[in-house]
Amino acid sequence: MSTAELFDFNAARKRRSNRMENQKNGYIPLYRSVKKQLWAKDVYLRTLWENILLDAARQPFVANFKGHTWRLETGQLVTTSADLGLALCDRSGEPTSRHAVERMLTVFEKEGMISVHAERRKGTLITILNYAEYAEKTPDLPAHNSAHKPEHNEASTGAASEAHPAHKPEHKAAHHEQEGNNNNKKTTSENSDESSDKPPKNLPVVRPGAAVQSPKGDKWGNADDLKAAEWMFKKVQIISPTAQEPTWSSWSNDIRLMRNALAVSHQEICEVFKWANADHFWQTNVMSPAKLREKWDTLKAQMNQPGRNTRAAESSKPEVWNTREAWQEFI
């Protein structure tokens, strides 16, 4: 009996080829403690989070997406809700709707995991917050770096819009978990207070620069976020004197996320809220930063409409509070 009959050289060569292909595609750290998060029980949310981590830029580079140039920083990716939905399919291959993806992204925003900035007809810029700390233990391998640029370039040419049925075998190799990470420093909001090998310590996360934060540290804001939240509540009390005092960490967190997602200042946020607070319709429908964020585009559009019906008492006063000098005095 020959050696060739005892050993399948073709099978061994194929296994080596698969390993080489996986190495070329690169990998990301995926901590086991993510399974302990409440949102991770939703298979769609967890898959979307993994896809965002996989597609985020490992290093700064220039991407071309839908005919536009995007200068991506580490931890950023440019895509659309529709494209993200095409990568979230059920067992029959049906993709997730754009609106469902947008709701899932909102969950991540509220958790303080990402910020989202959408530009109509251009794309959606997603930034993974604290990405550098999350991936700091990932080796800076040439194979890993070279895998990202082609992926973004594929998306820009429309290749990412191709729907793929879920649970295909080739997807299994894409979700590598970094072995030997049990001793790594955990600095992201989802793994900062626990380890997969040790009992949870339940220690609060201390956010640098935070003027207010929740006990778990998952919701927080700086001094300006807090002051803007307090100012908003005073305006709400004018409309609803019996309104209950909000959770300041939650309101400040919503303002912080709004600033990052919409790339706006505290002054712009307060200007829009003040207008809504003086409008006969919106004054009872926009009574929190979260609702302001939800209706932002509509409010901005209606602010520019002539003769919009606002309270006469407000419109009769000259607006001087929203100058640069007045805002600086306010904060």
Side-chain angles (χ1 to χ4, degrees):
M1 184 179 293
S2 66
T3 305
E5 293 174 329
L6 296 175
F7 186 79
D8 190 341
F9 288 97
N10 288 331
R13 188 178 296 109
K14 185 176 181 180
R15 286 194 295 271
R16 287 195 298 272
S17 175
N18 289 339
R19 286 197 299 270
M20 291 296 294
E21 187 62 28
N22 286 339
Q23 292 174 4
K24 289 179 181 179
N25 290 333
Y27 66 95
I28 60 168
L30 184 61
Y31 296 105
R32 293 184 178 94
S33 58
V34 72
K35 295 176 66 177
K36 298 181 181 180
Q37 305 304 310
L38 292 177
W39 59 263
K41 295 179 181 179
D42 186 318
V43 66
Y44 280 92
L45 281 172
R46 198 164 82 191
T47 302
L48 177 60
W49 176 240
E50 291 174 0
N51 288 347
I52 291 173
L53 288 175
L54 288 166
D55 293 339
R58 181 72 177 86
Q59 291 180 340
F61 77 99
V62 178
N64 293 316
F65 186 76
K66 295 188 178 299
H68 299 278
T69 299
W70 297 78
R71 298 187 180 277
L72 300 181
E73 299 296 330
T74 301
Q76 290 185 325
L77 66 148
V78 59
T79 182
T80 65
S81 298
D83 287 342
L84 290 173
L86 291 173
L88 290 174
C89 301
D90 59 22
R91 296 182 69 87
S92 63
E94 186 69 23
T96 304
S97 71
R98 172 174 61 86
H99 297 294
V101 170
E102 290 171 353
R103 289 194 294 270
M104 287 188 273
L105 292 176
T106 301
V107 171
F108 294 151
E109 285 188 276
K110 290 183 177 180
E111 290 290 326
M113 299 160 63
I114 64 172
S115 66
V116 179
H117 178 63
E119 293 191 27
R120 184 172 296 181
R121 297 187 182 88
K122 289 185 178 181
T124 299
L125 179 66
I126 299 176
T127 302
I128 301 175
L129 305 180
N130 300 321
Y131 180 83
E133 289 83 357
Y134 177 86
E136 67 181 356
K137 295 296 183 182
T138 305
D140 197 8
L141 299 176
H144 183 78
N145 296 335
S146 63
H148 273 291
K149 294 184 180 180
E151 291 298 325
H152 279 277
N153 289 335
E154 278 185 24
S156 67
T157 57
S161 298
E162 201 175 317
H164 298 285
H167 311 294
K168 281 191 175 182
E170 55 265 31
H171 282 283
K172 295 180 181 178
H175 297 278
H176 296 291
E177 176 156 2
Q178 186 176 358
E179 295 299 331
N181 263 351
N182 294 334
N183 295 324
N184 284 356
K185 178 182 177 184
K186 292 175 171 58
T187 53
T188 57
S189 61
E190 62 267 27
N191 9 191
S192 57
D193 59 346
E194 57 190 15
S195 166
S196 58
D197 295 331
K198 297 180 181 179
K201 295 181 180 179
N202 296 323
L203 295 177
V205 178
V206 178
R207 299 289 183 180
V212 61
Q213 70 174 57
S214 61
K216 292 183 179 180
D218 57 341
K219 296 181 180 181
W220 60 281
N222 61 27
D224 291 347
D225 297 326
L226 177 58
K227 289 192 176 184
E230 292 172 339
W231 176 85
M232 284 185 182
F233 182 61
K234 290 179 181 178
K235 289 292 183 182
V236 169
Q237 287 180 306
I238 296 174
I239 305 302
S240 179
T242 59
Q244 293 185 348
E245 184 172 311
T247 303
W248 296 116
S249 59
S250 179
W251 273 38
S252 299
N253 189 68
D254 289 336
I255 291 174
R256 177 180 61 83
L257 295 177
M258 197 186 322
R259 288 193 294 107
N260 293 333
L262 302 178
V264 295
S265 65
H266 292 98
Q267 178 180 339
E268 292 174 282
I269 291 172
C270 289
E271 285 176 352
V272 178
F273 190 88
K274 185 177 179 69
W275 182 89
N277 186 256
D279 184 84
H280 281 290
F281 175 77
W282 291 114
Q283 61 184 223
T284 56
N285 287 285
V286 177
M287 303 181 72
S288 69
K291 184 60 69 171
L292 177 66
R293 165 71 192 282
E294 179 185 335
K295 302 297 183 181
W296 181 269
D297 291 338
T298 302
L299 294 171
K300 288 288 288 183
Q302 291 188 6
M303 283 178 66
N304 297 324
Q305 292 179 357
R308 181 70 188 184
N309 188 23
T310 56
R311 296 200 306 270
E314 291 289 339
S315 59
S316 63
K317 293 182 179 180
E319 295 295 332
V320 296
W321 70 275
N322 58 355
T323 63
R324 181 184 296 272
E325 294 76 11
W327 171 253
Q328 289 174 346
E329 291 177 4
F330 170 70
I331 62 173

